[in-house]
Each structure stands twice: as structure tokens, then as C-alpha cells.
Amino acid sequence: MNNTPERADLAAASGFLRKNVSLLPEVAVVLGSGLGGFADKVDVKDAVPYSDIPGFPRSTVEGHAGRYLFGYMEDVPVVVMQGRVHYYEGYSMDQVVSPIRLMGILGAGKLILTNAAGGMGEGFDVGDLMLIKDHIALFVPNPLIGPNDEFLGKRFPDMSRVYDPALLDVVRRAAEKVNVELKEGVYVQLTGPSLETPAEIRLLQKLGGSAVGMSTACEAIAARHMGMRVCGISCITNMAAGLQKEERRDSDSARGTYVEGEDEDILTHEAVQEAAMAAGERFSALLSESIREISVFRVS
Ligand code: HPA
């Protein structure tokens, strides 16, 4: 099969990577905010900053290092995106998903997406890890809008099973093995960058959402378009707006009574990163075991 895309930007970037890396990946991993520590588990052969890749979008968010790592987890060739680009940074959806497409073009048939997310599912708490069973991407532009590139995939790709049932089972098994509790639910992608209002969160709960964030679903769509097998894990770094314990306790503030500290931000990016790092070890253990299971069970 011809493995050079027709699109000049993807052809140039994939040509550059083929020349500059020493292995072709089977499994691709995207590390979300504060979850970059997993990279320590990879026997890294090549680190490629996004800024070296021709035409590649650069992440501008603090805590997103912005590079591809090519290497091995045990004997599985992997590519890890340490940092991603987001729609709210001003890139088009097409640019946002191009790093995912590149990993697919290089040969990664399986993709593990991770993110930091606000929790809104029943029984969810800060620090939970959630297996993404499905997503709602209706609030962001579709990354496939524009002329369809037949090299990548077909015009109207099926989204009945974005998150691959076999890969979901792999992650469930891995969670049992490493003794990590795994919630399951529906991820909702919004554009950000402002966080949600409590009323918006109540709406998203009614729609069936369990976690909310600003990434992932668009990447999953682009990956499915190419026929990659996808799974995803959210790290619940905070309860979503209106659902924090302090707020629920503090109903006086809703009535307009002065409450000490009322003016301070309730949700901050720093707190999100801290919570993600606190979950880092469990998260890394789950991810490593999942990759091991993928290779042992030869999910292909
Ligand atoms: N909302 C949106 N995105 C997020 C959140 C949140 O509460 N936490 C981490 N990413």
C-alpha cells in the first residue's frame, strides 16, 4: 500500500519523521495535562519536539511539553505524545488532529488517549480514573469537516463503536491486574478555554455525560476515520463546576450571604495539574499494564 498521504502537510511531516526516528510504532499514546510522567516508563529511542516537525502546530499550554517520544514499552514499539494541541489555542480542528493522523500514518494501529477531566458522573470523586466508553462531541466542530482525504478514510465514518470493545476489555483487565479502581463513563468535549458554569454541568449530566474536558473526542474521531483502534482514560482531576464538596456545603453563598474566600477561583489549571500528578503512579501503572496486555493478547 502507498503510505504517503496526498496532503502536502501530512506528507512532509510524515516524511520528516520517517527520516528521523529509528522505529515505527504499533501503539500510540497521548498524555494529558499533568500525566506526562508515564514517559519515564518508556525506553525512549528518539525524542522529537513538535517545533522540529515541518508545519506542525505547537502547544502553548503550560504543563504540556510538546514532543513525540518514540521508544519501547517492554518490546512494544510505541509513540507517546507528551503534550497535545487544543482547539482553544486557536488552531483549526484539522490542525488539532494532525498529530494523531501522523501517528496513524507511521503505522500505529492502536491509540490510547488520556486526559485530565472534570467529573460529573454519579459516585465520581477527584483522583478517579475513568475508562471512556463513549463520547459527546456535538459542542465542538467536527475535525473531518472539509474535503475528504480518501487516503485517510471515508467521507461518513461509522461512530457506533469509537472506543474499541476489545481495547476496553484490555484496559479493564489491566486495571484488575494492577489493582486500580476504574470508573466508566461518557466523555464530553467542549471547546474551553473557560470552564463550565454549574448550569452547563447540570445540562451535560442530563445528556448522559460523566466527565468533561477540552480534548480527546475530536482525536478519537480522526483516528476512527483512519481505522485506528481507540481507547481512552480520563483522570478526574476535579469535580466539575457546582459539584465540589465545598460548594455543595456552602449553599449560603448562593443566597448572597458573604462567605469568606468567596472571591477566589474554585477551579484552577494548577489544581488540575496537581491532581493529575497525584494520580500519576496509578495512572502510569494502568497504562503500562494495558500496553503489555495489548501485546500479549495481540489485539490487532
Ligand atoms: N472542565 C473542563 N475541562 C477540564 C476540567 C473541567 O472541570 N478539569 C480538567 N479539564
Side-chain angles (χ1 to χ4, degrees), residues 33 115-119 187-188 190 192-196 201 211-215 235-241 244 267-269 272:
S33 264
N115 58 49
Y187 178 87
V188 183
L190 304 179
S194 56
L195 292 156
E196 304 72 39
I201 293 300
V212 60
M214 307 172 192
S215 66
C235 175
I236 304 299
T237 51
N238 57 280
M239 288 310 287
Q244 287 92 358
L267 288 179
T268 64
H269 184 60
V272 164

